[in-house]
């Protein structure tokens, strides 16, 4: 291990190694080789970041919102100038293709752009003469020190769901990124540093569970944003709320797409294949189950099997590659086991992506696209978040049966329908219990100015990430009633 390969925390405007920390390798999933080593910060490192943030907050909250936004305008310009380089960093540590990584950075930049509108977003309400000569006003004020804990699958976009809004609102912000993809966050903070943002307004603390525990226990932190698996989300939500913090936790997903017989089958197949296999199925909005209604079943089954078999898998930075590896060998083993479990209850594997290698990348964590047909809705595969390039086909006799299957499921992140019928689409969007709905859309990802509206086990809290919800989450209201006799 060389000293240059050891990543550092960014605390109080200084890049520093946490004292006595253990270091874990950050691995390129296409090669299984280490790219860097990430420190596992402890309570002392978290404590020093909170101490700096609490001090810096006193001045930062007094900077006018429009002046705070100027740092974000500079950040946007720097992110755009470094978009290709950031994408390459993401591809190397996360595995997705360069095109997917670049699109992710763009989605992140859009959140910076929206947060630049903070002077308007922070506007309050007022009423004159609630009683003769008495006026009432509502102001939005920052919370103090806030923290975000983010997952591996969007190393740039998800930190940017939170950071721009948190600091634009006048808070000081601490990021604990995924220990699997920390190099992207380091680069984001190096660019942020170049904006001249005052030291301590945004800080980076690497680590895993102990760092998270320290953040949710620390009395100096007012709010926690979390994105990750539902099991971790539940733990974080419960403990942070018990400690009196405001919390928003976005959890796992198991996204169904419904295909009606009147759908444009060619377009539907292409869109569903991109949803199920894009980012190697490691998107919280990836299609995981296709519910084919009536006569759509056999036609869709044939078309999607062809699309899965022909998808080009390889190193995400190589030209023409459409799908990279999954994040780790443990993840691949878990998904392979789930594929096997799909055969319980009558499921049949039509396209088997297990046991294949990519030439020149034999050590990589590759798993090729996989399709199972006639999967039982009650099987483990049909109920569990897979987070890999696997699509399960389930047959339904009509739209009512398809909607009933969706609504009895645990998760509610996204559900999509493919149809040319406005009536069917309207019924679907009205009745389906999911926070994000797609109509002839495979990845219904809300733009930065809409909330990322997961529901059921996919979200714990009330205000989601992005846009107006982000501003409301990171501010508290203060109401003033005034009389001037
Ligand atoms: P993960 O839950 O393993 O880790 C997420 C973060 O939490 C990491 O920073 C990790 O260090 C930390 N962590 C892990 N276990 C923890 C625990 N028990 N207590 C406290 N902190 C813990 O998730 P992941 O594997 O990095 O990411 C994939 C998951 O994230 C999937 O379930 C996916 O659906 C979900 N996700 C959800 C959304 C959404 O918007 N709903 C978006 C992206 C990813």
């Amino acid at each position: 291990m060389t000293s240059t390969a050891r990543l550092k925390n960014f605390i109080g405007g200084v890049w520093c190694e946490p004292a006595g920390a253990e270091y874990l390798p950050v691995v390129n999933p296409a090669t299984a080789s280490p790219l860097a080593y990430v420190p596992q910060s402890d309570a002392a490192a978290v404590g020093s970041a909170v101490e700096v943030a609490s001090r810096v907050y006193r001045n930062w909250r007094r900077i006018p919102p429009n002046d705070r936004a100027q740092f974000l305008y500079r950040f946007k310009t720097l992110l755009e100038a470094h978009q290709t380089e950031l994408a390459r960093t993401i591809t190397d540590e996360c595995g997705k293709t360069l095109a997917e990584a670049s699109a992710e950075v763009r989605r992140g930049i859009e959140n910076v752009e929206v947060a630049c509108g903070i002077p308007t977003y922070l506007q309050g309400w007022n009423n004159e003469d609630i009683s003769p000569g008495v006026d009432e006003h509502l102001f939005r004020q920052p919370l103090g020190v806030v923290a975000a804990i983010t997952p591996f699958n969007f190393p740039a976009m998800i930190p940017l769901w939170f950071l721009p809004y948190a600091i634009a609102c006048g808070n000081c912000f601490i990021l604990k990124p995924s220990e699997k993809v920390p190099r992207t966050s380091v680069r984001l903070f190096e660019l942020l540093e170049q904006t001249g943002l005052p030291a301590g307004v945004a800080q980076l603390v690497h680590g895993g569970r102990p760092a998270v525990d320290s953040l949710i226990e620390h009395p100096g932190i007012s709010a926690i944003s979390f994105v990750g698996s539902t099991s971790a989300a539940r733990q974080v939500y419960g403990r942070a709320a018990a400690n009196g913090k405001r919390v928003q936790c976005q959890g796992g997903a198991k996204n169904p797409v419904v295909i009606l017989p009147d759908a444009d089958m060619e377009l539907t197949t292409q869109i569903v294949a991109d949803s199920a296999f894009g980012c190697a199925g490691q998107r919280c909005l990836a299609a995981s189950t296709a519910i084919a209604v009536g006569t759509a079943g056999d036609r869709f089954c044939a078309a999607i099997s062809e699309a899965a078999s022909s998808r080009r898998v390889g190193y995400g930075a190589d030209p023409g590659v459409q799908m990279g590896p999954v994040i780790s060998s443990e993840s691949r083993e878990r998904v392979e086991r789930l594929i096997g479990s799909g055969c319980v209850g009558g499921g049949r594997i039509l396209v088997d992506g297990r046991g294949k290698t990519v030439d020149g990348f034999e050590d990589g964590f590759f798993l090729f696209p996989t399709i199972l047909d006639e999967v039982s809705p009650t099987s483990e595969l049909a109920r569990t978040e897979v987070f890999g390039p696997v699509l399960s086909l389930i047959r339904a006799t009509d739209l009512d049966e398809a909607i009933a299957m969706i609504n009895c499921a645990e998760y509610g992140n996204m559900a999509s329908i493919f149809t040319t019928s406005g009536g069917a689409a309207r019924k679907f969007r009205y009745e389906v219990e999911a926070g994000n709905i797609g109509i002839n859309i495979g990845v219904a990802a809300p733009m930065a100015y809409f909330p990322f509206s997961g529901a059921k086990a996919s979200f714990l809290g009330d205000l989601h990430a992005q846009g107006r919800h982000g501003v409301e989450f990171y501010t508290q209201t203060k109401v003033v009633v005034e009389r001037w006799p």
Side-chain angles (χ1 to χ4, degrees):
M1 194 198 307
T2 64
S3 60
T4 51
R6 285 161 70 116
L7 301 181
K8 293 181 171 150
N9 289 340
F10 186 59
I11 296 180
V14 177
W15 291 95
C16 51
E17 294 191 2
E22 182 196 348
Y23 280 74
L24 295 181
V26 180
V27 173
N28 181 334
T31 62
S33 318
L35 295 159
Y37 292 85
V38 62
Q40 300 303 289
S41 303
D42 60 8
V46 168
S48 59
V50 178
E51 190 273 316
V52 171
S54 308
R55 193 162 23 85
V56 169
Y57 169 67
R58 288 184 224 124
N59 288 333
W60 178 244
R61 64 157 294 199
R62 291 171 196 277
I63 306 281
N66 196 42
D67 293 353
R68 293 198 295 256
Q70 299 310 313
F71 297 101
L72 294 174
Y73 283 111
R74 272 175 243 149
F75 192 34
K76 164 190 155 62
T77 306
L78 284 161
L79 289 170
E80 284 174 341
H82 293 269
Q83 185 167 349
T84 306
E85 173 218 323
L86 280 162
R88 179 58 195 243
T89 305
I90 293 169
T91 294
D92 281 345
E93 65 182 1
C94 181
K96 61 181 70 172
T97 67
L98 277 181
E100 289 166 343
S102 186
E104 162 184 351
V105 176
R106 182 64 229 157
R107 283 282 185 154
I109 293 169
E110 285 163 8
N111 278 280
V112 180
E113 291 169 350
V114 171
C116 286
I118 198 66
T120 307
Y121 276 125
L122 281 181
Q123 285 174 344
W125 319 326
N126 49 57
N127 282 71
E128 280 185 332
D129 293 325
I130 55 159
S131 180
V134 180
D135 304 330
E136 185 159 348
H137 314 274
L138 177 144
F139 296 95
R140 290 203 163 273
Q141 296 196 332
L143 302 177
V145 182
V146 301
I149 298 141
T150 54
F152 80 81
N153 63 329
F154 284 94
M157 181 186 78
I158 294 184
L160 295 175
W161 277 357
F162 305 112
L163 185 154
Y165 303 102
I167 65 172
C169 289
N171 302 285
C172 287
F173 176 82
I174 299 172
L175 174 68
K176 202 300 285 173
S178 166
E179 61 274 43
K180 295 179 184 138
V181 293
R183 291 161 69 251
T184 306
S185 292
V186 168
R187 208 54 202 117
L188 291 178
F189 274 76
E190 285 171 352
L191 296 175
L192 195 57
E193 196 181 0
Q194 289 177 34
T195 66
L197 187 73
V201 171
Q203 303 182 93
L204 175 64
V205 176
H206 294 291
R209 174 88 192 256
V212 177
D213 288 345
S214 305
L215 288 167
I216 58 186
E217 296 294 337
H218 201 296
I221 292 184
S222 304
I224 297 278
S225 304
F226 175 91
V227 183
S229 55
T230 291
S231 62
R234 285 190 173 125
Q235 292 170 35
V236 168
Y237 190 78
R239 289 178 52 211
N243 287 328
K245 301 187 195 312
R246 188 178 284 203
V247 204
Q248 53 178 188
C249 289
Q250 304 198 187
K254 178 79 186 171
N255 304 306
V257 297
V258 171
I259 297 138
L260 296 192
D262 64 5
D264 175 333
M265 205 49 77
E266 193 181 333
L267 187 67
T268 300
T269 304
Q270 183 203 318
I271 293 173
V272 174
D274 285 343
S275 175
F277 309 130
C279 298
Q282 299 176 123
R283 270 195 291 228
C284 66
L285 296 180
S288 184
T289 307
I291 305 174
V293 172
T295 57
D298 290 345
R299 287 182 294 138
F300 179 71
C301 181
I304 196 75
S305 298
E306 167 60 27
S309 313
S310 59
R311 203 156 188 96
R312 192 158 162 228
V313 181
Y315 178 35
D318 282 347
V321 165
Q322 295 171 298
M323 194 183 102
V326 295
I327 191 69
S328 64
S329 59
E330 297 77 32
S331 179
R332 180 171 61 185
E333 278 166 28
R334 195 185 62 81
V335 178
E336 286 177 344
R337 194 195 65 73
L338 276 170
I339 293 170
S341 78
C343 299
V344 175
R348 293 180 295 120
I349 300 175
L350 299 183
V351 180
D352 193 346
R354 296 172 297 180
K356 297 183 175 168
T357 53
V358 172
D359 288 346
F361 295 90
E362 285 76 8
D363 293 333
F365 312 133
F366 292 98
L367 179 62
F368 283 51
T370 297
I371 304 275
L372 292 96
D373 193 13
E374 297 187 53
V375 172
S376 161
T378 57
S379 65
E380 183 187 3
L381 177 63
R383 288 181 292 108
T384 310
E385 177 175 43
V386 176
F387 231 53
V390 179
L391 187 67
S392 302
L393 270 56
I394 294 178
R395 311 293 180 116
T397 48
D398 55 27
L399 180 56
D400 282 316
E401 190 189 0
I403 291 174
M405 279 181 198
I406 295 172
N407 287 350
C408 71
E410 181 187 5
Y411 296 100
N413 216 30
M414 183 196 83
S416 291
I417 187 167
F418 291 83
T419 181
T420 48
S421 158
R426 204 267 174 187
K427 175 182 171 71
F428 186 85
R429 104 171 130 77
Y430 189 82
E431 292 184 13
V432 164
E433 293 164 9
N436 301 294
I437 297 288
I439 296 175
N440 297 312
I441 298 286
V443 179
M447 296 299 286
Y449 34 88
F450 281 91
F452 198 97
S453 286
K456 295 165 83 175
S458 300
F459 181 72
L460 301 161
D462 47 10
L463 294 165
H464 298 80
Q466 297 199 143
R468 207 173 285 282
H469 271 213
V471 173
E472 289 180 22
F473 181 76
Y474 287 127
T475 52
Q476 54 199 332
T477 54
K478 182 179 275 182
V479 173
V480 178
V481 184
E482 64 180 16
R483 172 189 286 130
W484 294 95

